[in-house]
Amino acid sequence: MTPLDDLVRLCPPPTGLTPGVDWAKAERALATALPADYKQLVETYGAGVFGETIWLLAPDSPYDECDLHAQSVERGEILGQLWDAGEERPAGLLEADARVLPWAFEEGTGAFLYWLVRPGQHPDEWTVLYNEGRGPLWEHHGMGCLSFLLGVLSGTVRTEYFGYLYEVLKPAEHRFATAGEILAASGR
């Protein structure tokens, strides 16, 4: 069993086909290759929300709040302004040319999940950074996005921020809803 198989068993993907992604176009727009595990997530689920909490960004989503490129531009501008104003960068970003790239966000909190992109590092080696969004706190996880997402939903990853998904809700199965199901229905 692969981590994706485990995630699919824990949180079944939408029925029907997810929209295909032009990965070459997406990577050109971001000026970087993307991790294989992220591509597997997007190809299996598309843009949408896991457990009513973690929104997966995807290239070319018709909804800006779920579009990988739109959010990478917006988050880059916001973080740049905060750091220019004196907010402390997380330790992983003190290395020259290190940066973050968002891949998901937390419903209703302003919090984002990022990859820590380090110079010379292959995308499959990128690790996860969580930023609380409305404050300066960052949490680092030394794993890729698929392993992190699976761990959060199964309760095997220690985090200050997502424990309730497992500890309080204790689901045997999490639900995934596509961005279209949620955002089109709410008129967003």
Side-chain angles (χ1 to χ4, degrees):
M1 293 288 258
T2 68
L4 183 61
D5 294 330
D6 292 339
L7 182 61
V8 165
R9 192 173 63 251
L10 180 66
C11 187
T15 56
L17 297 175
T18 57
V21 174
D22 182 342
W23 290 110
K25 176 185 169 194
E27 291 173 334
R28 276 192 309 275
L30 295 167
T32 186
L34 292 166
D37 65 340
Y38 170 74
K39 292 177 181 179
Q40 291 176 322
L41 277 171
V42 170
E43 289 168 355
T44 304
Y45 290 93
V49 62
F50 291 87
E52 299 178 1
T53 302
I54 300 174
W55 283 85
L56 180 64
L57 304 177
D60 297 325
S61 172
Y63 307 98
D64 280 351
E65 58 263 51
C66 294
D67 182 68
L68 179 64
H69 185 260
Q71 286 302 316
S72 69
V73 170
E74 182 178 311
R75 299 310 307 164
E77 290 171 357
I78 290 169
L79 291 173
Q81 291 170 0
L82 290 171
W83 293 330
D84 288 346
E87 186 171 302
E88 194 171 319
R89 293 175 185 253
L93 291 180
L94 298 179
E95 179 180 359
D97 296 325
R99 63 187 178 104
V100 291
L101 183 64
W103 60 272
F105 67 91
E106 184 179 6
E107 172 69 28
T109 66
F112 270 78
L113 290 161
Y114 297 91
W115 288 294
L116 174 57
V117 179
R118 299 177 65 210
Q121 192 175 47
H122 190 277
D124 292 342
E125 297 171 327
W126 293 351
T127 55
V128 172
L129 282 172
Y130 174 94
N131 176 246
E132 68 179 337
R134 294 190 174 103
L137 299 179
W138 291 79
E139 185 178 80
H140 181 255
H141 297 274
M143 63 189 70
C145 62
L146 177 54
S147 293
F148 178 80
L149 181 59
L150 175 62
V152 165
L153 294 176
S154 66
T156 60
V157 166
R158 288 232 176 253
T159 174
E160 295 295 319
Y161 300 99
F162 293 112
Y164 65 90
L165 283 174
Y166 184 75
E167 295 162 3
V168 175
L169 301 177
K170 297 192 184 299
E173 179 180 285
H174 286 278
R175 182 175 179 270
F176 178 84
T178 67
E181 289 173 315
I182 302 296
L183 300 177
S186 69
R188 293 207 268 191

